[in-house]
Amino acid sequence: MTHIPPPAEELRLLDTELRQLDARRALLLARRAWLITALRPPVAPPPPSPPVRRPETTAPRVQNVLLVLGGILLTVAAIAFTLVSWGRMGIAGRALVLGAVTLAALGSPVLLLRHRLRSTAEAVAGLGLALTVLDMYALHEVAFADTNGLGYAAIASALLAALWAAYGLALGGARRPTGEPATLTRLPLRLPLPTALAAAQLPLILWAAAADAGAPVMTAALLVTAALDTAVALRVPVRSVCLVAAVGAYGLGGWGSFAAGWLSWTATGPGAAARAAALLLFAAAIALAAAWRLPDTNVATWAASAGGLLTVAALGGVPRSSLPADWTVPGYLVCAVALLAAVGTRLPEPMRRGLALVSGSVQTVAVVWALPPVVVALLGPVTWVGRVWTGAPSTAREAVTADGFPWPPYAATAPLVLVVVATVLAVAVRGTEWRPRATVGASALVWAAVLVLPAALAIPYWAGMSAQGFTIVAALAYVARSARSRPVPFLLALVTSVSLACLSLATEGTTLGVLTALTVLFAAVSGRSRLAPVAALTYATALTCALGASLGWQSQYIALLVLLVPVVAALLAARLADSPARVPVEVTGAVAGLLAIGLAVTDPPLLALVLALCGVIAAGTAVREDRRAAGYTATALFVLAAWVRLACWGVGSVEAYTLPVTVPALLVGAVGRRKDPLTSSWTAYGAGLSVTLVPSLLTAWTDPDWPRPLLLGVAALAVTLVGARHRLRAPLVLGGGVLALDALHELAPYLVQMAGSLPRWVPPALAGLALLALGATYEQRIRDARRVRDVLGRMR
């Protein structure tokens, strides 16, 4: 069958028709809705209803407030009766009153619950519970007045807890319909069970206090109570009971854990440390058991973290009491590392995450503890800069603490701590996105351990320097043999080289040897890092200074030797055309040149030579197409060299200093205008002409002789004529202005003399005539000024 048109075209036409039909239908529906609205009769708005005053609180809240206040008042009355009116009644009366009131208060909730008055039943039950406390007090006053108060309180709190729990459960059983299973979630009263649990917090603590038990027994009482609270919180489904149990578990458990930790930290013997460790392990077991059963993953993670931390404190505190103080942190660190064995087990994920968090935290604290000796090992050698070639110390520790740097106590095991953490990072972190960061961290920790090890062991000075040298060689060899860029090993080698260079300043031969070796090493890896050439040039600069000082040269002659570094930097930068290391190399060469200039400042003739040589180096750099801007630096250096040389010759004429600037500036301006004819004359010649004309004019105004003003006037006239001939604004304005001021300077004495010989009325008369003339020809002068402005504007 032949399709006319083709199927694709026909489908497009059908879609177009359907869209048009949909648009038409939407338009008709909108019109229909408008017509229906227009045909409906208008509906009058309903009259506003008067505002209704709403109650500020609800009836249940009012009821609860009244019941609570009533229960409080009854309790206060019962307390007052027990404490005040007790002695006025006999034994029978006392027992009858308290027993009757207590039984009535405890039995009334049963009847109230049958009539569905739950809130009232709660209030009366609370009164009954308070009366049982008064009964216990009355019993102590009557029958057990001679017993220990704390011991009686412990027994009373235990009996009250059992009585209140039985009372709450009994009410629940009495209200349970026949055939319905017993459950704690359907208890009619919410007060007895939480109150019973609150009373259960006291027996063990009061018993330990009554028995004058020591701190370990009191801590055990706290932890046992916290364990019972934890079990209740995890197994009892009643929300109020869980809340009281959680508060008790956290409060008493935290108190007991802190007390056990303090006992472990202050233990003076293995026995005391073992008892404290047992308490800490018990607390850890409570926390880990809670983490195992908790449904909330975040809370379980933190509970497992607490358990892991207590385990580390327990196991690490035992060897601490019998080992030297240097091994305290390594002992805790080993226990924290051992926790990582649980990460690979079948424990729940929140527990594994919490234990890993604790292990990492303890390792971080251990690394922070090991940092002070690392800082001393890094910064201590810098003090040798102020004591160059004063003699080598005997040990590596004396080398880093020679200028008052104190060596941290208990730092002998700091390298071991750093190596252990580095090993954990290298072994434990595998196959994840954190692997590269772990590798960097492990490398840095191993480097820090190697850096601090010579000082920690107090090995000989030469052995310590050799260790740092081997570290630099190993790091740079790894950088050279690696296929990819390795910035971290290079930076570690660079930092170590700075420390080694500072340490080598103790003796002359060591300084020359170390600086030579560092220059060669970093030059050998200059193709692997952009900072390697910079380091090589920096150490070469230091080597030239040290070599000059070793030869007994003065600083100005050492400057000539330092200039070799800018020469090498310029040649090396020419070869690094497309390398990112080119700019750092050039900057290093420039800094070396500034150092040479600073060294030669004390000898002006030699300073002029150094400036000229620096200008030659800059001019050689400006030969390259992409470094034409260096020509300005070369010009400035040549000018400075000429000025210094002129000052050495005793030349006092200002033109001798300004003309060397004006001539090259005018040449540069002429070349610029030839390349770009649109360049303004101010841009091309303004600076060059101003450098000579302005200082010469200022000097001529204070010069009493006539040759300088005459020559300046001739030069200004020549500049003005050149500007007029070529229609250039800058030479015309500058030359004319200087010429006019120079002429005014020459005529000034005669004007002063003439002003002194004229009568006093002549100046005001002349001023008035001038003002009249100016006013008479104001318009003509304006037209002339505009014409001059137009002429100047047409100049380039």
Side-chain angles (χ1 to χ4, degrees):
M1 180 176 181
T2 304
H3 295 279
I4 301 175
E9 182 65 22
E10 185 177 0
L11 179 61
R12 187 184 65 78
L13 294 175
L14 290 177
D15 291 339
T16 303
E17 292 293 336
L18 289 174
R19 285 195 295 271
Q20 293 177 355
L21 290 176
D22 291 339
R24 182 60 179 171
R25 186 173 184 275
L27 180 62
L28 294 176
L29 288 175
R31 182 63 180 174
R32 180 177 181 275
W34 182 84
L35 292 174
I36 292 175
T37 304
L39 293 176
R40 276 182 189 166
V43 179
S49 58
V52 180
R53 179 175 297 176
R54 297 182 180 181
E56 297 181 357
T57 184
T58 60
R61 291 183 179 178
V62 175
Q63 165 194 303
N64 293 334
V65 170
L66 295 177
L67 292 175
V68 170
L69 289 176
I72 292 174
L73 293 176
L74 289 175
T75 303
V76 172
I79 294 173
F81 169 77
T82 304
L83 298 178
V84 178
S85 302
W86 185 255
R88 302 176 185 176
M89 302 178 65
I91 297 177
R94 301 170 189 172
L96 181 62
V97 171
L98 273 181
V101 174
T102 303
L103 290 177
L106 294 177
S108 298
V110 177
L111 300 176
L112 294 172
L113 289 174
R114 290 180 180 177
H115 292 82
R116 298 180 179 179
L117 299 175
R118 181 173 178 176
S119 299
T120 307
E122 291 277 4
V124 177
L127 175 62
L129 299 180
L131 290 174
T132 56
V133 177
L134 295 177
D135 290 338
M136 287 295 177
Y137 170 75
L139 183 62
H140 176 267
E141 293 295 324
V142 173
F144 303 100
D146 296 333
T147 60
N148 187 357
L150 289 176
Y152 180 81
I155 297 174
S157 59
L159 292 177
L160 288 176
L163 176 63
W164 293 346
Y167 176 68
L169 295 174
L171 286 179
R175 289 292 301 160
R176 187 176 71 252
T178 305
E180 182 178 341
T183 174
L184 290 178
T185 59
R186 299 177 62 85
L187 290 176
L189 295 181
R190 292 171 290 184
L191 186 61
L193 289 183
T195 308
L197 185 59
Q201 310 297 311
L202 301 176
L204 291 178
I205 301 175
L206 293 176
W207 169 80
D212 290 332
V217 178
M218 179 62 74
T219 303
L222 292 171
L223 294 177
V224 170
T225 307
L228 296 176
D229 290 333
T230 303
V232 172
L234 294 175
R235 299 188 64 86
V236 176
V238 181
R239 182 178 179 83
S240 57
V241 176
C242 289
L243 180 60
V244 175
V247 172
Y250 283 115
L252 298 180
W255 185 10
S257 299
F258 177 78
W262 182 254
L263 290 175
S264 176
W265 185 256
T266 57
T268 57
R275 288 191 296 271
L279 294 174
L280 286 172
L281 288 176
F282 181 46
I286 298 172
L288 293 175
W292 184 283
R293 296 292 303 274
L294 282 171
D296 192 337
T297 57
N298 292 328
V299 179
T301 298
W302 289 110
S305 301
L309 186 60
L310 292 171
T311 303
V312 172
L315 299 179
V318 175
R320 186 195 64 80
S321 61
S322 56
L323 293 177
D326 291 341
W327 293 92
T328 299
V329 174
Y332 287 109
L333 177 62
V334 170
C335 298
V337 173
L339 280 183
L340 292 177
V343 177
T345 61
R346 295 184 179 180
L347 291 175
E349 175 62 24
M351 293 188 66
R352 290 188 279 119
R353 186 166 58 247
L355 294 177
L357 179 62
V358 168
S359 180
S361 301
V362 175
Q363 293 180 59
T364 303
V365 172
V367 171
V368 172
W369 172 84
L371 285 182
V374 177
V375 174
V376 173
L378 275 177
L379 300 181
V382 180
T383 59
W384 284 99
V385 175
R387 299 182 297 111
V388 178
W389 298 349
T390 57
S394 58
T395 64
R397 184 178 298 181
E398 292 180 4
V400 299
T401 59
D403 198 21
F405 267 88
W407 183 251
Y410 313 128
T413 55
L416 176 62
V417 170
L418 297 172
V419 170
V420 169
V421 178
T423 304
V424 172
L425 287 176
V427 175
V429 184
R430 289 186 175 276
T432 62
E433 61 178 355
W434 290 91
R435 178 61 180 173
R437 303 177 186 178
T439 302
V440 172
S443 302
L445 291 175
V446 171
W447 166 79
V450 174
L451 184 67
V452 78
L453 184 61
L457 299 180
I459 63 176
Y461 168 73
W462 304 105
M465 292 193 61
S466 300
Q468 290 194 4
F470 289 142
T471 303
I472 298 171
V473 172
L476 293 181
Y478 177 72
V479 172
R481 299 185 61 181
S482 179
R484 295 185 302 171
S485 175
R486 301 290 183 181
V488 174
F490 178 81
L491 289 177
L492 296 179
L494 184 60
V495 174
T496 309
S497 68
V498 174
S499 176
L500 180 61
C502 292
L503 284 177
S504 68
L505 297 175
T507 60
E508 180 179 345
T510 307
T511 303
L512 296 177
V514 168
L515 292 178
T516 302
L518 292 178
T519 303
V520 173
L521 286 174
F522 282 99
V525 296
S526 58
R528 308 300 301 172
S529 175
R530 69 175 63 183
L531 294 179
V534 175
L537 291 173
T538 302
Y539 288 123
T541 304
L543 177 61
T544 56
C545 294
L547 184 60
S550 176
L551 296 175
W553 291 2
Q554 296 179 357
S555 61
Q556 60 269 25
Y557 299 106
I558 297 176
L560 297 176
L561 194 59
V562 172
L563 285 179
L564 294 175
V565 177
V567 174
V568 175
L571 296 176
L572 183 59
R575 299 189 59 183
L576 299 174
D578 298 328
S579 174
R582 181 182 61 173
V583 175
V585 167
E586 292 175 341
V587 172
T588 306
V591 172
L594 291 176
L595 176 61
I597 294 173
L599 292 174
V601 166
T602 57
D603 190 346
L606 200 57
L607 175 61
L609 177 60
V610 171
L611 288 171
L613 293 176
C614 290
V616 171
I617 298 173
T621 303
V623 173
R624 291 163 29 206
E625 185 66 28
D626 56 344
R627 288 293 182 266
R628 297 298 188 192
Y632 298 105
T633 304
T635 303
L637 290 171
F638 285 134
V639 170
L640 289 175
W643 285 357
V644 173
R645 175 53 62 184
L646 291 172
C648 294
W649 289 340
V651 176
S653 177
V654 69
E655 288 78 11
Y657 295 91
T658 58
L659 285 177
V661 180
T662 296
V663 173
L666 294 178
L667 292 177
V668 171
V671 173
R673 280 185 58 85
R674 180 173 298 179
K675 291 182 178 180
D676 185 9
L678 298 179
T679 302
S680 172
S681 61
W682 285 107
T683 304
Y685 307 118
L689 293 175
S690 300
V691 168
T692 296
L693 292 178
V694 174
S696 297
L697 178 63
L698 296 177
T699 307
W701 272 80
T702 59
D703 192 352
D705 298 328
W706 60 270
R708 183 187 298 275
L710 178 61
L711 295 176
L712 177 61
V714 172
L717 178 60
V719 170
T720 304
L721 295 177
V722 171
R725 172 67 179 82
H726 297 281
R727 304 182 64 186
L728 298 176
R729 183 184 303 175
L732 183 61
V733 173
L734 289 175
V738 171
L739 181 60
L741 293 175
D742 185 64
L744 180 62
H745 170 265
E746 294 301 313
L747 294 177
Y750 303 101
L751 295 177
V752 171
Q753 183 180 3
M754 183 178 64
S757 60
L758 291 177
R760 293 186 177 183
W761 57 268
V762 174
L766 294 177
L769 292 175
L771 290 176
L772 290 176
L774 181 63
T777 58
Y778 184 75
E779 184 177 0
Q780 180 66 30
R781 295 296 180 268
I782 292 177
R783 186 164 55 250
D784 295 341
R786 289 175 179 174
R787 186 179 299 110
V788 172
R789 185 192 61 185
D790 294 339
V791 171
L792 292 176
R794 288 193 295 270
M795 295 182 181
R796 291 175 293 173

